[in-house]
Amino acid sequence: MYFCSRKESLFMKILVIQQKRIGDVLTSSILCNNLKQFYPNATIDYMCYPNCVDVVLENPNIDNIIVLSHEVRKSYSKLFKFIFTIRAKKYDTVIDAYCKLETNLITLFSGAKNKISYDKGYSNIFYNQTVKRFKNGTKSELGLAIDNRLLLLKPLISEKIINFRPKIYLTKTEIEGAKELLNKFQIKLGEKPIIMFGILGSEWYKTYPLDKMAQIIDFTVDKLNAEIVFNYIPSQEIEAKKLLELCNDKSKENIHFNLYAKGLRSFLGLLSHCDMLIGNEGGSVNMAKALSIPTFSLFSPSVDKETWQIFENDKENVSIHLKDLKPEIYSEFSEKQIKADTFKYFDEYPLELILEKLEAYFIDLGYLKN
């Protein structure tokens, strides 16, 4: 273990690495938040892919964001040139929350005295301090995605960690810009609930069937008369229009299909004004939680619930996962088998039960009376 005094941290440089998706990068930002809290004089840098930068912009606990581009990743010569630029920064500590080949190499050749990551059997080749992940159920109510990341701080922080919530930081200009966008569509804050729907998952097997999603939207509009905003990217417009056509006439009147944020930061500003997010579990759910926006999420049957059912000790965050209803399926079939028959297993959780749970959620949040 290595613990540095606050005085020593004046010259301390730490690099945190998290590649992959937005949800992963946002969740791992809690490492930076805690490091800056316990070592306020240290320089804390964060490495991620270019498409994830926007979720950690303006974070006061991150001094520099280092982008590992896809161009660099695809070329060994460019990757090693990149590695030597990292080495030149003379980090004292590298925390690798990703622990795959490219980050194994970056960490190994970084020149850092302390190289921290997860124990994968072979990982001692690249790191001098490794921690074992929790695998069998959650250690706390935070979810494995949080618990396992906090483990990476153990070599550096001996005190109890209570700062475990990822947070997105928006500027006043971004918040006001989103408010102006809502005004253009005659949506006034405080008049009706504004609900963002995460209508499509990042992969086909993470997308709840459109016909059933339409029924959830119809149910929501019927119960709350809410203003509805769809979250989708341009390449998903055809599927989004299919969903729109499946909704009833009343819902179509309340759906602002062309209300679209250009860019992730604009989307985050828009999301910050919503009263809740309903839809497919994924990056948008994690972003909503980081903005303290209530979430009702639908998990794909093949996605690991123990990892990403985070902060569900709060009434504001509720999720639907088949494993909660029919755990016996997961002892009979593998994740690969369940994934192959995703839509069959979506049907194993009756829509009627989902709507019952959604109505109870509206009651808990104070939008409906019991």
Side-chain angles (χ1 to χ4, degrees), residues 10 18 33 56 58 72 74 85 138 158 178 190 210 217 222 226 233 235 243 272 306 334 337 369:
L10 180 63
Q18 175 65 75
N33 299 344
V56 290
E58 305 296 333
V72 169
K74 291 177 180 178
T85 66
T138 56
S158 59
L210 296 185
I217 294 169
D222 180 62
I233 58 177
S235 62
L243 175 60
S272 74
E306 282 82 5
S334 68
Q337 289 173 309
K369 292 183 179 180

PDB file of all heavy atoms in Angstrom, residues 10 18 33 56 58 72 74 85 138 158 178 190 210 217 222 226 233 235 243 272 306 334 337 369:
ATOM      1  N   LEU A  10       1.482  17.806  -3.194  1.00  0.00           N
ATOM      2  CA  LEU A  10       1.663  19.048  -3.945  1.00  0.00           C
ATOM      3  C   LEU A  10       2.304  18.770  -5.298  1.00  0.00           C
ATOM      4  O   LEU A  10       2.012  19.423  -6.296  1.00  0.00           O
ATOM      5  CB  LEU A  10       2.516  20.031  -3.129  1.00  0.00           C
ATOM      6  CG  LEU A  10       2.814  21.395  -3.766  1.00  0.00           C
ATOM      7  CD1 LEU A  10       1.516  22.164  -3.990  1.00  0.00           C
ATOM      8  CD2 LEU A  10       3.762  22.196  -2.885  1.00  0.00           C
ATOM      9  N   GLN A  18      -9.875   5.032 -18.075  1.00  0.00           N
ATOM     10  CA  GLN A  18     -11.110   4.270 -18.272  1.00  0.00           C
ATOM     11  C   GLN A  18     -11.534   4.392 -19.721  1.00  0.00           C
ATOM     12  O   GLN A  18     -11.952   5.461 -20.176  1.00  0.00           O
ATOM     13  CB  GLN A  18     -12.234   4.767 -17.366  1.00  0.00           C
ATOM     14  CG  GLN A  18     -13.578   4.077 -17.615  1.00  0.00           C
ATOM     15  CD  GLN A  18     -13.578   2.597 -17.288  1.00  0.00           C
ATOM     16  OE1 GLN A  18     -13.603   2.209 -16.131  1.00  0.00           O
ATOM     17  NE2 GLN A  18     -13.549   1.746 -18.317  1.00  0.00           N
ATOM     18  N   ASN A  33     -12.812  12.174  -8.386  1.00  0.00           N
ATOM     19  CA  ASN A  33     -13.465  12.988  -7.361  1.00  0.00           C
ATOM     20  C   ASN A  33     -12.869  12.715  -5.988  1.00  0.00           C
ATOM     21  O   ASN A  33     -12.613  13.642  -5.206  1.00  0.00           O
ATOM     22  CB  ASN A  33     -14.966  12.708  -7.342  1.00  0.00           C
ATOM     23  CG  ASN A  33     -15.644  13.042  -8.653  1.00  0.00           C
ATOM     24  OD1 ASN A  33     -15.086  13.747  -9.499  1.00  0.00           O
ATOM     25  ND2 ASN A  33     -16.840  12.524  -8.855  1.00  0.00           N
ATOM     26  N   VAL A  56     -17.283  14.219 -18.796  1.00  0.00           N
ATOM     27  CA  VAL A  56     -16.370  14.614 -17.716  1.00  0.00           C
ATOM     28  C   VAL A  56     -15.844  16.040 -17.878  1.00  0.00           C
ATOM     29  O   VAL A  56     -15.075  16.520 -17.046  1.00  0.00           O
ATOM     30  CB  VAL A  56     -15.195  13.615 -17.587  1.00  0.00           C
ATOM     31  CG1 VAL A  56     -15.693  12.294 -17.053  1.00  0.00           C
ATOM     32  CG2 VAL A  56     -14.457  13.422 -18.899  1.00  0.00           C
ATOM     33  N   GLU A  58     -15.706  19.961 -17.486  1.00  0.00           N
ATOM     34  CA  GLU A  58     -16.077  20.873 -16.392  1.00  0.00           C
ATOM     35  C   GLU A  58     -15.986  20.231 -15.013  1.00  0.00           C
ATOM     36  O   GLU A  58     -16.291  20.881 -14.008  1.00  0.00           O
ATOM     37  CB  GLU A  58     -17.496  21.451 -16.591  1.00  0.00           C
ATOM     38  CG  GLU A  58     -17.722  22.155 -17.913  1.00  0.00           C
ATOM     39  CD  GLU A  58     -16.867  23.392 -18.077  1.00  0.00           C
ATOM     40  OE1 GLU A  58     -16.489  23.998 -17.057  1.00  0.00           O
ATOM     41  OE2 GLU A  58     -16.564  23.752 -19.232  1.00  0.00           O
ATOM     42  N   VAL A  72      -5.116   6.225 -33.004  1.00  0.00           N
ATOM     43  CA  VAL A  72      -3.941   5.760 -32.263  1.00  0.00           C
ATOM     44  C   VAL A  72      -4.088   4.291 -31.888  1.00  0.00           C
ATOM     45  O   VAL A  72      -3.147   3.505 -32.004  1.00  0.00           O
ATOM     46  CB  VAL A  72      -3.739   6.619 -30.999  1.00  0.00           C
ATOM     47  CG1 VAL A  72      -2.701   5.986 -30.067  1.00  0.00           C
ATOM     48  CG2 VAL A  72      -3.319   8.031 -31.376  1.00  0.00           C
ATOM     49  N   LYS A  74      -5.586   1.909 -33.382  1.00  0.00           N
ATOM     50  CA  LYS A  74      -5.531   0.984 -34.516  1.00  0.00           C
ATOM     51  C   LYS A  74      -4.128   0.805 -35.078  1.00  0.00           C
ATOM     52  O   LYS A  74      -3.906  -0.024 -35.968  1.00  0.00           O
ATOM     53  CB  LYS A  74      -6.465   1.471 -35.629  1.00  0.00           C
ATOM     54  CG  LYS A  74      -7.951   1.361 -35.264  1.00  0.00           C
ATOM     55  CD  LYS A  74      -8.821   1.925 -36.371  1.00  0.00           C
ATOM     56  CE  LYS A  74     -10.303   1.824 -36.021  1.00  0.00           C
ATOM     57  NZ  LYS A  74     -11.172   2.414 -37.074  1.00  0.00           N
ATOM     58  N   THR A  85       4.514   9.692 -24.932  1.00  0.00           N
ATOM     59  CA  THR A  85       4.057  11.021 -24.496  1.00  0.00           C
ATOM     60  C   THR A  85       3.500  10.932 -23.079  1.00  0.00           C
ATOM     61  O   THR A  85       3.630  11.881 -22.294  1.00  0.00           O
ATOM     62  CB  THR A  85       2.981  11.596 -25.440  1.00  0.00           C
ATOM     63  OG1 THR A  85       1.792  10.794 -25.375  1.00  0.00           O
ATOM     64  CG2 THR A  85       3.469  11.674 -26.868  1.00  0.00           C
ATOM     65  N   THR A 138     -23.588  -8.027  -4.873  1.00  0.00           N
ATOM     66  CA  THR A 138     -23.059  -6.727  -4.497  1.00  0.00           C
ATOM     67  C   THR A 138     -22.619  -6.729  -3.045  1.00  0.00           C
ATOM     68  O   THR A 138     -23.211  -7.375  -2.203  1.00  0.00           O
ATOM     69  CB  THR A 138     -24.114  -5.626  -4.698  1.00  0.00           C
ATOM     70  OG1 THR A 138     -25.289  -5.973  -3.947  1.00  0.00           O
ATOM     71  CG2 THR A 138     -24.487  -5.468  -6.137  1.00  0.00           C
ATOM     72  N   SER A 158      -6.814   5.474   2.787  1.00  0.00           N
ATOM     73  CA  SER A 158      -7.104   4.571   3.902  1.00  0.00           C
ATOM     74  C   SER A 158      -8.425   4.901   4.583  1.00  0.00           C
ATOM     75  O   SER A 158      -9.024   4.050   5.230  1.00  0.00           O
ATOM     76  CB  SER A 158      -5.976   4.635   4.938  1.00  0.00           C
ATOM     77  OG  SER A 158      -5.822   5.958   5.437  1.00  0.00           O
ATOM     78  N   ALA A 178     -30.398  25.013 -22.957  1.00  0.00           N
ATOM     79  CA  ALA A 178     -31.393  23.942 -23.017  1.00  0.00           C
ATOM     80  C   ALA A 178     -32.778  24.471 -22.677  1.00  0.00           C
ATOM     81  O   ALA A 178     -33.781  24.047 -23.275  1.00  0.00           O
ATOM     82  CB  ALA A 178     -31.001  22.829 -22.052  1.00  0.00           C
ATOM     83  N   GLY A 190     -42.153  23.395 -15.244  1.00  0.00           N
ATOM     84  CA  GLY A 190     -43.067  23.467 -14.114  1.00  0.00           C
ATOM     85  C   GLY A 190     -44.532  23.326 -14.460  1.00  0.00           C
ATOM     86  O   GLY A 190     -45.362  23.157 -13.564  1.00  0.00           O
ATOM     87  N   LEU A 210     -40.246  -2.316 -29.637  1.00  0.00           N
ATOM     88  CA  LEU A 210     -40.861  -1.015 -29.895  1.00  0.00           C
ATOM     89  C   LEU A 210     -42.363  -1.012 -29.628  1.00  0.00           C
ATOM     90  O   LEU A 210     -42.912  -0.010 -29.148  1.00  0.00           O
ATOM     91  CB  LEU A 210     -40.583  -0.577 -31.334  1.00  0.00           C
ATOM     92  CG  LEU A 210     -39.115  -0.319 -31.701  1.00  0.00           C
ATOM     93  CD1 LEU A 210     -39.025   0.225 -33.122  1.00  0.00           C
ATOM     94  CD2 LEU A 210     -38.452   0.644 -30.730  1.00  0.00           C
ATOM     95  N   ILE A 217     -45.198   4.355 -23.314  1.00  0.00           N
ATOM     96  CA  ILE A 217     -45.349   5.794 -23.565  1.00  0.00           C
ATOM     97  C   ILE A 217     -46.817   6.198 -23.469  1.00  0.00           C
ATOM     98  O   ILE A 217     -47.166   7.203 -22.832  1.00  0.00           O
ATOM     99  CB  ILE A 217     -44.763   6.159 -24.946  1.00  0.00           C
ATOM    100  CG1 ILE A 217     -43.246   5.942 -24.949  1.00  0.00           C
ATOM    101  CG2 ILE A 217     -45.088   7.611 -25.305  1.00  0.00           C
ATOM    102  CD1 ILE A 217     -42.609   6.026 -26.319  1.00  0.00           C
ATOM    103  N   ASP A 222     -51.115   8.957 -20.643  1.00  0.00           N
ATOM    104  CA  ASP A 222     -52.462   8.832 -20.086  1.00  0.00           C
ATOM    105  C   ASP A 222     -52.478   9.177 -18.596  1.00  0.00           C
ATOM    106  O   ASP A 222     -53.397   9.863 -18.126  1.00  0.00           O
ATOM    107  CB  ASP A 222     -52.983   7.413 -20.300  1.00  0.00           C
ATOM    108  CG  ASP A 222     -54.393   7.228 -19.743  1.00  0.00           C
ATOM    109  OD1 ASP A 222     -55.312   7.915 -20.240  1.00  0.00           O
ATOM    110  OD2 ASP A 222     -54.568   6.418 -18.821  1.00  0.00           O
ATOM    111  N   ALA A 226     -47.827  14.076 -19.728  1.00  0.00           N
ATOM    112  CA  ALA A 226     -46.475  14.635 -19.728  1.00  0.00           C
ATOM    113  C   ALA A 226     -46.016  15.054 -21.120  1.00  0.00           C
ATOM    114  O   ALA A 226     -46.519  14.573 -22.136  1.00  0.00           O
ATOM    115  CB  ALA A 226     -45.504  13.594 -19.168  1.00  0.00           C
ATOM    116  N   ILE A 233     -30.114   9.042 -31.604  1.00  0.00           N
ATOM    117  CA  ILE A 233     -29.095   9.694 -32.420  1.00  0.00           C
ATOM    118  C   ILE A 233     -29.539   9.645 -33.884  1.00  0.00           C
ATOM    119  O   ILE A 233     -30.431   8.864 -34.240  1.00  0.00           O
ATOM    120  CB  ILE A 233     -27.720   9.017 -32.233  1.00  0.00           C
ATOM    121  CG1 ILE A 233     -27.791   7.527 -32.590  1.00  0.00           C
ATOM    122  CG2 ILE A 233     -27.231   9.193 -30.799  1.00  0.00           C
ATOM    123  CD1 ILE A 233     -26.441   6.819 -32.487  1.00  0.00           C
ATOM    124  N   SER A 235     -28.594   8.309 -36.598  1.00  0.00           N
ATOM    125  CA  SER A 235     -28.620   7.008 -37.269  1.00  0.00           C
ATOM    126  C   SER A 235     -29.796   6.145 -36.816  1.00  0.00           C
ATOM    127  O   SER A 235     -30.097   5.125 -37.429  1.00  0.00           O
ATOM    128  CB  SER A 235     -27.308   6.258 -37.011  1.00  0.00           C
ATOM    129  OG  SER A 235     -27.140   6.001 -35.627  1.00  0.00           O
ATOM    130  N   LEU A 243     -41.379   3.877 -33.850  1.00  0.00           N
ATOM    131  CA  LEU A 243     -41.948   3.925 -32.510  1.00  0.00           C
ATOM    132  C   LEU A 243     -43.030   4.990 -32.426  1.00  0.00           C
ATOM    133  O   LEU A 243     -44.107   4.760 -31.854  1.00  0.00           O
ATOM    134  CB  LEU A 243     -40.858   4.192 -31.479  1.00  0.00           C
ATOM    135  CG  LEU A 243     -41.341   4.391 -30.043  1.00  0.00           C
ATOM    136  CD1 LEU A 243     -42.089   3.165 -29.531  1.00  0.00           C
ATOM    137  CD2 LEU A 243     -40.164   4.714 -29.125  1.00  0.00           C
ATOM    138  N   SER A 272     -31.054  17.708 -18.014  1.00  0.00           N
ATOM    139  CA  SER A 272     -31.054  18.316 -16.678  1.00  0.00           C
ATOM    140  C   SER A 272     -32.369  18.996 -16.339  1.00  0.00           C
ATOM    141  O   SER A 272     -32.670  19.225 -15.161  1.00  0.00           O
ATOM    142  CB  SER A 272     -29.901  19.321 -16.553  1.00  0.00           C
ATOM    143  OG  SER A 272     -30.168  20.513 -17.276  1.00  0.00           O
ATOM    144  N   GLU A 306     -26.369  -7.116 -11.505  1.00  0.00           N
ATOM    145  CA  GLU A 306     -25.637  -6.824 -10.282  1.00  0.00           C
ATOM    146  C   GLU A 306     -24.647  -5.673 -10.462  1.00  0.00           C
ATOM    147  O   GLU A 306     -24.373  -4.929  -9.536  1.00  0.00           O
ATOM    148  CB  GLU A 306     -24.884  -8.071  -9.787  1.00  0.00           C
ATOM    149  CG  GLU A 306     -25.751  -9.095  -9.083  1.00  0.00           C
ATOM    150  CD  GLU A 306     -26.489 -10.010 -10.051  1.00  0.00           C
ATOM    151  OE1 GLU A 306     -26.246  -9.895 -11.272  1.00  0.00           O
ATOM    152  OE2 GLU A 306     -27.302 -10.830  -9.587  1.00  0.00           O
ATOM    153  N   SER A 334     -27.470 -20.033 -20.003  1.00  0.00           N
ATOM    154  CA  SER A 334     -26.301 -19.148 -19.954  1.00  0.00           C
ATOM    155  C   SER A 334     -26.668 -17.763 -20.488  1.00  0.00           C
ATOM    156  O   SER A 334     -27.683 -17.589 -21.167  1.00  0.00           O
ATOM    157  CB  SER A 334     -25.168 -19.724 -20.789  1.00  0.00           C
ATOM    158  OG  SER A 334     -25.508 -19.684 -22.179  1.00  0.00           O
ATOM    159  N   GLN A 337     -27.068 -17.886 -24.218  1.00  0.00           N
ATOM    160  CA  GLN A 337     -28.357 -18.430 -24.667  1.00  0.00           C
ATOM    161  C   GLN A 337     -29.469 -17.407 -24.497  1.00  0.00           C
ATOM    162  O   GLN A 337     -30.326 -17.261 -25.378  1.00  0.00           O
ATOM    163  CB  GLN A 337     -28.685 -19.696 -23.867  1.00  0.00           C
ATOM    164  CG  GLN A 337     -27.817 -20.900 -24.197  1.00  0.00           C
ATOM    165  CD  GLN A 337     -28.054 -22.069 -23.265  1.00  0.00           C
ATOM    166  OE1 GLN A 337     -28.021 -21.911 -22.038  1.00  0.00           O
ATOM    167  NE2 GLN A 337     -28.304 -23.244 -23.815  1.00  0.00           N
ATOM    168  N   LYS A 369     -51.722  10.044  -6.965  1.00  0.00           N
ATOM    169  CA  LYS A 369     -52.146   9.723  -5.618  1.00  0.00           C
ATOM    170  C   LYS A 369     -52.408   8.212  -5.524  1.00  0.00           C
ATOM    171  O   LYS A 369     -52.893   7.590  -6.461  1.00  0.00           O
ATOM    172  CB  LYS A 369     -53.418  10.492  -5.240  1.00  0.00           C
ATOM    173  CG  LYS A 369     -53.194  11.991  -5.101  1.00  0.00           C
ATOM    174  CD  LYS A 369     -54.460  12.708  -4.667  1.00  0.00           C
ATOM    175  CE  LYS A 369     -54.202  14.199  -4.508  1.00  0.00           C
ATOM    176  NZ  LYS A 369     -55.450  14.914  -4.089  1.00  0.00           N
TER     177      LYS A 369
END
